[in-house]
Amino acid sequence: MRLSEVPHLPFGGPPPLWPPLLASRGPGASSTGHSHHAMHLVLGLDGPVRMRVADAPWTSLAGVLTAPDVPHSLDAEGRQVLLVFLDPESEAGAALAATLTGPFRALSTAERDTLARDAEPSRLMGPEGVAWTRRVVEVLGAGVISPPRSIHPRVRRVLRLLHELPPGEDASLATLAAQVGLSPGRLMHAFTESIGLPLRPYLAWLRLQRAATAIVSGMPLGEAAQAAGFADSAHMSRTFRRMLGMPPSALRGARRSQLVQDRGAGRS
């Protein structure tokens, strides 16, 4: 698939509390068989898309939610699509996983239309994304996520530290715990209770979002990796492939609307 129109995310101001997702909206394409750890929501905005799991027959769908780590192929050639990768370990991801009775869940036309309405990447990857992921859970019959959590004061300090931390600096649980005056175990519990996601996957998604926006802005891959806090471009590439099933180079050219296709999801 292509990952197009990835928005620029401003990192100034108060510490963000964004959902762990990556989103794009634009022309679709075809992908060969691949898998990734993220849950994969694809909506065909102007017609159905096709999907198959492994070597099974193709299925035509208005939209589809794919389970984590499932080998699959997608064909959205000639369609406009909304593409969302969501962390399966997040609160929304866990709720959606409960609706899956197989490797994927087909969406009806009505479900697709409801979720696609006003779903712009710049909103989904910003503060409005929290409400949107809650709507996904409700629309797909996963129940209702509890009201927004109360954020522990020390966790707010951690978010501020992460927001201000220079790339490459130590963001380990032990270091952050010492900086906010909690034991590592207590911080781990408070962070998960406050955010709905453990610290480590939260950091991984924060890095993914920052790397994606840096690449789309025209930054070379090595510099984007450093700016996002990855050890190097190889580390960033491995993370992209494991979590999204695509290399970071698939983002090149999106800023010029010259969309790069990821065929095979494991090759640069």
Side-chain angles (χ1 to χ4, degrees), residues 1-6 22-25 27 83 85 212 216 240 244 246 250-251 254 259-260 262:
M1 296 297 290
R2 294 166 176 149
L3 192 61
S4 60
E5 299 181 9
V6 178
L22 193 61
S24 73
R25 185 170 183 147
L83 175 63
F85 293 99
V216 170
F240 265 73
L244 307 180
M246 55 180 275
L251 298 173
L259 308 175
V260 178
D262 171 34

Side-chain angles (χ1 to χ4, degrees), residues 19-22 37-40 84-88 90 92-93 96 133 205:
L21 61 80
L22 193 61
H37 187 58
M39 302 189 79
H40 195 201
V84 179
F85 293 99
L86 180 69
D87 193 316
S90 67
L96 290 170
T133 55
W205 280 93

Side-chain angles (χ1 to χ4, degrees), residues 110-225:
E111 291 171 334
R112 175 202 63 194
D113 292 345
T114 298
L115 296 181
R117 191 177 304 121
D118 300 323
E120 297 298 331
S122 58
R123 297 177 179 178
L124 301 190
M125 290 174 60
E128 294 182 27
V130 174
W132 187 80
T133 55
R134 291 176 179 275
R135 181 167 52 159
V136 173
V137 169
E138 294 176 14
V139 168
L140 298 190
V144 178
I145 296 179
S146 58
R149 298 164 179 263
S150 174
I151 301 178
H152 192 287
R154 304 293 177 91
V155 173
R156 288 191 182 277
R157 287 179 58 188
V158 167
L159 295 175
R160 187 172 296 107
L161 287 169
L162 294 175
H163 178 61
E164 299 171 350
L165 199 65
E169 291 296 315
D170 187 3
S172 66
L173 176 65
T175 296
L176 292 172
Q179 289 179 305
V180 300
L182 291 177
S183 69
R186 177 57 184 154
L187 176 58
M188 181 170 62
H189 176 77
F191 193 95
T192 304
E193 284 293 305
S194 296
I195 307 303
L197 188 72
L199 175 63
R200 185 172 180 178
Y202 177 89
L203 283 172
W205 280 93
L206 184 60
R207 290 188 183 114
L208 278 176
Q209 290 177 333
R210 289 181 168 177
T213 57
I215 294 167
V216 170
S217 297
M219 190 176 291
L221 296 183
E223 294 180 19

Side-chain angles (χ1 to χ4, degrees), residues 31-47:
S31 70
T32 55
H34 64 284
S35 64
H36 41 73
H37 187 58
M39 302 189 79
H40 195 201
L41 182 66
V42 183
L43 307 181
L45 302 177
D46 55 357

